[in-house]
Amino acid sequence: MTQYHQNKLKPSTRAEVITRRTYCRPTEDGTFETWDDVIDRVIRHQEWLWARAQGHGLRAKQREELGSLRTLLLQRKALVSGRTLWLGGTSIAREREASMFNCSFGRIATVYDLVDAYWLLLQGCGVGFEPTTGTLSGFSKPVELKIIRSTKTDPTDKGNPLTVETFEELPPQAGNGKRYYDWTIRVGDSAEAWAKLPGKILANKRFVKTLTLDYGEIRPAGTRLSSYGWISSGDSLLSEAMRAIVTIMNLRAGQLLTRINIMDILNHLGATLSSRRSAEITLVPYGDPEWIEFARAKHEYWNGNSQRGQSNNSVVFYHKPSEAELSDIFGLMVASGGSEPGFINGASALKRAPWFRGVNPCAEILLGDKSFCNLVEVDLGKFNGDFDGLKEAYRLIARANYRQTCVYLVDGMLQRTWHELNDFLRLCGVGPTGIRRWEHHRDGAKWKELKGVAIMSAIGMADELTLPRPRAVTTVKPSGTLGKIMDTTEGAHLPLGRYLWNNVKFSKHDPLVDVCRKANYRVFDAPGDTDGVIVTFPVEYPDVKFDVVERDGEELHVNLESAVEQLEFYKLLMTCYVEHNCSITISYDPSEVPAIVAWLHENWEHYVGVSFLLRNDPTKTAKDLGFEYLPQEVVTKRQFDEYSSKLKPIRVMGSLSEIEEDRCATGACPIK
């Protein structure tokens, strides 16, 4: 049964399944790592970073510290980032050290910036960006596009990793006198080749008659990549994206690209990724000539602009908006579905972080132009009654977080600025999860004490290594996936209710689906997805306070917090704990917009950015709301107990298909 108990160390079935699908790497004998294997790999990575940074092997006391960290991680009381859980300790983590970062931001003004962003997306890094006009332009003249698809079928048939590019000069055209070429790019079968491809397309200014994109070297879809460990998508998505990008370049022939053009190009590139998805956020300053078009860009985006689903879109205010301006933003937001455009207080961000130029996709980190951050978190709820133990956990995880900044980012692909800015800023992201389970979650003094522990611990690690101190340390992230595998409430969010049915999507071909069926879990076809099924996991939060209402004569323990109450809790965290930003999704009803606008106008100096999401009435069933199912549905104790009592234990073993990860692709960091 998937049920949370406060002091239980054994993870739930849901936690085991999500851990296996997301963080346990395949082994050479065809099985998957255990949780102990994952954590041992992470500790090896920590040891490598530490020894290299200090220039010699670890001393006994340092090894003892890593032993304590290992225990903390094994018990899921604290965790490093999902990026590190998946790749830490692997060869690729040493060869491409940027792969360890889950947060990044950069302005996209040149072809080099575009290549950087795509390179990071291909490594699974979340990418924030501001499309910047004035340098990038369309083709010199429209080109004819020819695409040659890969015919490879053997998963072991890897192609040439290097791209081969040729220009064949054509006879001069009568009365023209210009040189024209037939341009052929045979794309290499490697991440480097893919990342450089859009750069080649945007950099060319020759007059081209025909552009041939030849994908014959690319391995087939379904191949597990030996280095990163995730599943290749083949050439189909890349082919679609490049066709769309060439169309944009043709439409803007002889002209500069617009902000929307640049956004679309990077969104198309984000749609090419393999089974390990990444997220994007696009930022445009409020008042920019394109800001209104940008603010409306995702309105019904599925109708002809599906690529725009890859990024959250947010406008950035560098002045305090009037209540009328905020009301106008909410008008655009509600008209587009309730979530976008988001909006960020750039002035407040600059006061907190003078280097601020943007944020990562869930907006919990204040980043410079070409900068990174790596995140860690502690489950506060597991330390109720043990504040000293909580402070020790914070000390250990903050020091580990600083060691994650000790990287060399000159990898032959990224511009050197990424390395130099990381070396200067040393941004950390020490955050809590399970916040609403913590006995002190409304105690500002306790939050300030934790903040002090995190900052001083990260600084202490820097000083021991005689390296620059971190410019910012504390944050709160959404903690969707990690919250689930820690069996805790996610980030700063109050769950929808005490008793939930969490509906998780699987491929119908996943062998675990039959295992769940045999264990009496509810399994049904995923609406609109012929290849997907939904499995229902029961989840209970017995130590969280909820409102109690009646539904059909039974008690329902449910979250009825107003939008302003949620914003007040955000303010508490921002004033007492957070140096960066607290990423939180504020659920609201359109009738609450005037109160939200009034709160924002009054508290603007405390606000950096949140996500807004229209609230489904949590007291209603999926059927009541007109849906076939909800990702999370509040149920009564009777429904919960009846369903849970029929479930048999599941031993998670064998090969599991990969499930699409939680993503920030709908205008809000999803709470699933």
Side-chain angles (χ1 to χ4, degrees):
M1 179 173 67
T2 303
Q3 181 176 354
Y4 163 73
H5 293 288
Q6 178 177 325
N7 296 314
K8 181 181 69 174
L9 293 181
K10 186 180 185 303
S12 68
T13 299
R14 183 184 68 155
E16 291 273 34
V17 170
I18 294 175
T19 298
R20 173 61 67 83
R21 76 117 195 245
T22 315
Y23 302 121
C24 297
R25 294 176 65 86
T27 61
E28 292 183 1
D29 64 3
T31 61
F32 284 76
E33 294 175 324
T34 65
W35 181 240
D36 286 51
D37 293 333
V38 172
I39 299 307
D40 286 345
R41 179 165 46 74
V42 168
I43 295 299
R44 288 197 301 272
H45 185 69
Q46 280 281 319
E47 181 179 359
W48 176 72
L49 288 170
W50 200 346
R52 185 180 63 171
Q54 67 184 8
H56 57 78
L58 268 58
R59 300 184 177 92
K61 187 175 181 180
Q62 294 170 331
R63 293 189 181 280
E64 182 180 337
E65 178 174 329
L66 287 186
S68 298
L69 177 64
R70 179 180 184 275
T71 299
L72 197 67
L73 301 179
L74 280 174
Q75 294 177 346
R76 309 188 192 216
K77 291 183 175 180
L79 286 177
V80 293
S81 71
R83 179 71 29 217
T84 303
L85 289 174
W86 178 252
L87 290 174
T90 65
S91 60
I92 200 69
R94 298 188 180 195
E95 295 165 10
R96 299 173 184 169
E97 298 187 45
S99 67
M100 284 294 93
F101 292 91
N102 43 355
C103 297
S104 69
F105 179 85
R107 285 177 170 162
I108 308 299
T110 70
V111 293
Y112 302 104
D113 300 334
L114 187 74
V115 169
D116 284 353
Y118 192 28
W119 175 242
L120 295 175
L121 286 169
L122 289 168
Q123 295 180 58
C125 184
V127 171
F129 67 97
E130 179 188 336
T132 305
T133 59
T135 301
L136 295 170
S137 61
F139 291 129
S140 297
K141 66 172 293 294
V143 305
E144 298 174 14
L145 177 64
K146 179 181 178 182
I147 290 179
I148 301 174
R149 296 288 303 279
S150 175
T151 58
K152 291 180 181 291
T153 58
D154 182 355
T156 65
D157 186 10
K158 298 180 181 179
N160 181 356
L162 302 178
T163 291
V164 177
E165 184 179 13
T166 60
F167 288 90
E168 181 183 351
E169 188 171 353
L170 301 175
Q173 294 187 5
N176 188 313
K178 294 186 173 64
R179 294 180 179 178
Y180 281 81
Y181 299 85
D182 279 345
W183 181 19
T184 300
I185 303 176
R186 188 167 176 85
V187 182
D189 187 28
S190 65
E192 291 91 341
W194 282 40
K196 291 177 180 178
L197 179 58
K200 292 180 180 294
I201 299 295
L202 269 72
N204 177 68
K205 294 297 174 273
R206 298 190 189 188
F207 288 88
V208 170
K209 183 174 185 291
T210 302
L211 166 60
T212 301
L213 295 178
D214 184 347
Y215 300 117
E217 296 292 341
I218 295 177
R219 70 194 77 181
T223 303
R224 185 174 289 278
L225 305 179
S226 59
S227 54
Y228 290 107
W230 47 68
I231 306 298
S232 168
S233 58
D235 71 323
S236 60
L237 298 179
L238 181 64
S239 177
E240 293 174 17
M242 296 312 301
R243 186 184 296 278
I245 290 170
V246 168
T247 297
I248 293 171
M249 297 290 287
N250 278 337
L251 291 173
R252 298 297 296 177
Q255 305 173 76
L256 291 171
L257 297 180
T258 67
R259 288 188 188 267
I260 304 299
N261 294 151
I262 299 169
M263 178 190 76
D264 279 337
I265 287 171
L266 203 51
N267 283 175
H268 280 299
L269 294 173
T272 68
L273 307 179
S274 67
S275 61
R276 286 296 166 126
R277 301 293 180 178
S278 193
E280 299 176 70
I281 187 170
T282 315
L283 305 182
V284 167
Y286 179 84
D288 181 86
E290 292 186 61
W291 90 265
I292 294 178
E293 182 184 359
F294 169 74
R296 295 172 174 165
K298 287 182 72 173
H299 180 63
E300 296 184 354
Y301 65 87
W302 53 87
N303 186 17
N305 281 302
S306 60
Q307 79 284 350
R308 292 181 182 173
Q310 296 300 314
S311 69
N312 306 330
N313 289 351
S314 293
V315 294
V316 183
F317 285 94
Y318 288 100
H319 68 276
K320 182 177 180 178
S322 66
E323 291 190 64
E325 287 176 309
L326 287 170
S327 295
D328 287 344
I329 289 287
F330 272 94
L332 292 170
M333 192 186 298
V334 172
S336 296
S339 294
E340 296 199 27
F343 52 94
I344 290 172
N345 182 351
S348 178
L350 282 168
K351 287 181 180 179
R352 289 172 171 263
W355 61 86
F356 167 79
R357 296 297 180 272
V359 295
N360 63 307
C362 285
E364 67 265 34
I365 301 297
L366 305 182
L367 294 161
D369 181 11
K370 300 177 181 60
S371 72
F372 288 113
C373 192
N374 182 291
L375 311 181
V376 297
E377 58 195 289
V378 179
D379 181 2
L380 303 187
K382 290 189 173 74
F383 291 92
N384 284 335
D386 184 16
F387 193 64
D388 287 341
L390 176 57
K391 290 191 291 184
E392 174 62 9
Y394 253 79
R395 185 186 75 84
L396 290 170
I397 204 70
R399 286 169 59 84
N401 196 195
Y402 183 86
R403 292 192 291 269
Q404 295 279 15
T405 73
C406 302
V407 291
Y408 185 71
L409 299 173
V410 183
D411 60 4
M413 289 291 293
L414 289 174
Q415 296 172 76
R416 188 177 178 88
T417 302
W418 292 92
H419 176 77
E420 293 170 350
L421 196 51
N422 176 73
D423 210 28
F424 172 69
L425 295 176
R426 301 283 174 158
L427 297 179
C428 294
V430 180
T433 192
I435 292 173
R436 296 304 189 103
R437 293 175 44 225
W438 189 36
E439 59 191 346
H440 302 299
H441 72 271
R442 294 194 181 275
D443 186 336
K446 292 293 187 185
W447 280 115
K448 289 177 182 178
E449 193 169 350
L450 282 186
K451 177 181 180 179
V453 172
I455 293 171
M456 294 311 298
S457 298
I459 287 175
M461 188 73 255
D463 290 350
E464 287 177 27
L465 296 172
T466 63
L467 292 173
R469 291 179 170 184
R471 303 284 170 162
V473 174
T474 55
T475 187
V476 178
K477 74 184 190 72
S479 189
T481 304
L482 289 187
K484 289 178 177 65
I485 75 166
M486 297 170 89
D487 282 318
T488 195
T489 58
E490 297 171 12
H493 302 99
L494 180 66
L496 289 178
R498 173 170 177 169
Y499 303 102
L500 298 173
W501 285 342
N502 187 192
N503 293 306
V504 180
K505 188 176 179 181
F506 291 78
S507 164
K508 64 173 53 177
H509 306 293
D510 191 319
L512 190 65
V513 172
D514 284 337
V515 175
C516 289
R517 279 199 184 97
K518 292 175 182 177
N520 296 326
Y521 283 80
R522 183 174 65 161
V523 180
F524 58 97
D525 291 338
D529 183 354
T530 58
D531 189 58
V533 295
I534 306 296
V535 179
T536 301
F537 294 95
V539 182
E540 180 190 1
Y541 298 104
D543 58 347
V544 179
K545 184 178 179 180
F546 296 97
D547 291 295
V548 180
V549 299
E550 187 176 293
R551 184 170 75 188
D552 298 330
E554 296 182 81
E555 283 189 348
L556 198 68
H557 297 253
V558 68
N559 172 3
L560 296 179
E561 274 193 337
S562 70
V564 167
E565 287 175 317
Q566 296 168 64
L567 287 167
E568 282 293 330
F569 190 58
Y570 167 82
K571 178 182 174 181
L572 170 69
L573 294 172
M574 291 293 284
T575 55
C576 296
Y577 177 77
V578 173
E579 289 189 291
H580 287 285
N581 185 40
C582 171
S583 179
I584 187 172
T585 298
I586 305 297
S587 60
Y588 73 105
D589 184 86
S591 65
E592 296 181 277
V593 168
I596 295 171
V597 168
W599 187 93
L600 288 167
H601 196 259
E602 183 178 347
N603 295 279
W604 187 246
E605 70 274 15
H606 301 298
Y607 176 88
V608 172
V610 304
S611 295
F612 288 95
L613 185 67
L614 284 179
R615 179 191 303 125
N616 288 323
D617 186 342
T619 69
K620 304 294 186 183
T621 65
K623 184 178 180 181
D624 292 338
L625 296 169
F627 298 112
E628 296 187 55
Y629 80 99
L630 296 169
Q632 292 189 7
E633 183 171 348
V634 182
V635 297
T636 65
K637 184 178 187 301
R638 177 189 57 80
Q639 290 173 301
F640 182 89
D641 289 343
E642 285 181 358
Y643 181 62
S644 300
S645 66
K646 299 175 183 177
L647 303 180
K648 300 177 182 178
I650 291 178
R651 182 182 177 190
V652 179
M653 58 186 298
S655 175
L656 303 184
S657 300
E658 301 204 37
I659 312 165
E660 185 173 330
E661 295 181 66
D662 291 343
R663 297 167 58 199
C664 306
T666 61
C669 294
I671 309 303
K672 296 185 179 178

